[in-house]
Amino acid sequence: MDMRIRRFKETDVFAVADLAMRTFQKYNGLDFYDEEAITNTLDYFDTTKNTKERLLEKFSKKSIFFIAEDSDGIAGMINGVPNRISSLFVESCKQGKGIGKMLLEKFEIEAKACGSNYVSIESSLYAVDFYRRMGFHQTSDIVNHMGLKVYLMEKEL
């Protein structure tokens, strides 16, 4: 697998939003969240409800933003600010191939370069085991974050 990790570009905006929507829908259903929270999250990324400019405005608030790309196109993405990951999504058919790990490692390098000595995430219940394998530990039991059931997790850098 010839995977390349690179910085997000404006031309990625729709592909990234679509990836986030597809992945969120597949792995985060009503078992994890209430219906309003699912709708709000999907609306955040929905390319039929957001203009390119609006999506770029939302994404520009993330100072760290990387894309995993292979010959098929965008396979994954990670974004956030130095102390906190906001989103990490990998195409469902490409999960388990190390893409999430590569994205996370790149994020951690950038976070350290920005002066952070830790990174945190509000992990979906689906992703908790992945983050544990990557060295994160839970700092809470399940919490309700705006209708989303998540674990607060953290990793020292």
Side-chain angles (χ1 to χ4, degrees):
M1 173 177 60
D2 186 25
M3 189 63 54
R4 178 172 84 102
I5 307 296
R6 62 168 176 79
R7 292 196 182 276
F8 171 82
K9 299 182 296 197
E10 280 191 20
T11 53
D12 299 326
V13 69
F14 288 130
V16 166
D18 286 340
L19 165 68
M21 273 192 67
R22 277 192 313 276
T23 308
F24 183 86
Q25 280 179 306
K26 182 165 184 155
Y27 296 106
N28 299 292
L30 291 174
D31 293 344
F32 300 130
Y33 308 126
D34 68 38
E35 199 165 334
E36 183 180 358
I38 292 172
T39 300
N40 290 341
T41 301
L42 293 175
D43 285 353
Y44 182 88
F45 293 109
D46 193 333
T47 57
T48 65
K49 295 181 180 178
N50 290 283
T51 63
K52 179 180 181 179
E53 292 72 27
R54 179 72 183 120
L55 287 167
L56 285 170
E57 180 186 324
K58 292 176 183 185
F59 291 164
S60 71
K61 296 175 183 166
K62 315 301 182 210
S63 60
I64 302 174
F65 203 146
F66 291 106
I67 301 297
E69 185 175 51
D70 63 12
S71 58
D72 297 330
I74 293 175
M77 58 80 80
I78 190 169
N79 68 20
V81 295
N83 294 13
R84 188 174 167 281
I85 297 167
S86 298
S87 300
L88 170 58
F89 292 106
V90 174
E91 281 288 0
S92 59
C93 63
K94 299 195 178 195
Q95 290 185 7
K97 301 179 189 298
I99 297 168
K101 180 180 179 182
M102 288 188 288
L103 285 164
L104 186 57
E105 288 171 347
K106 188 75 168 173
F107 187 97
E108 290 172 358
I109 290 167
E110 185 82 3
K112 271 181 115 167
C114 293
S116 183
N117 59 357
Y118 76 96
V119 66
S120 64
I121 186 159
E122 294 169 354
S123 173
S124 70
L125 305 187
Y126 174 79
V128 168
D129 288 338
F130 166 76
Y131 289 112
R132 281 190 191 125
R133 288 192 309 274
M134 297 299 109
F136 283 75
H137 65 277
Q138 287 175 226
T139 59
S140 75
D141 288 328
I142 295 175
V143 297
N144 183 324
H145 176 73
M146 300 185 318
L148 308 175
K149 292 178 186 171
V150 299
Y151 282 107
L152 304 181
M153 300 185 80
E154 194 171 282
K155 178 180 181 179
E156 288 185 32
L157 301 177

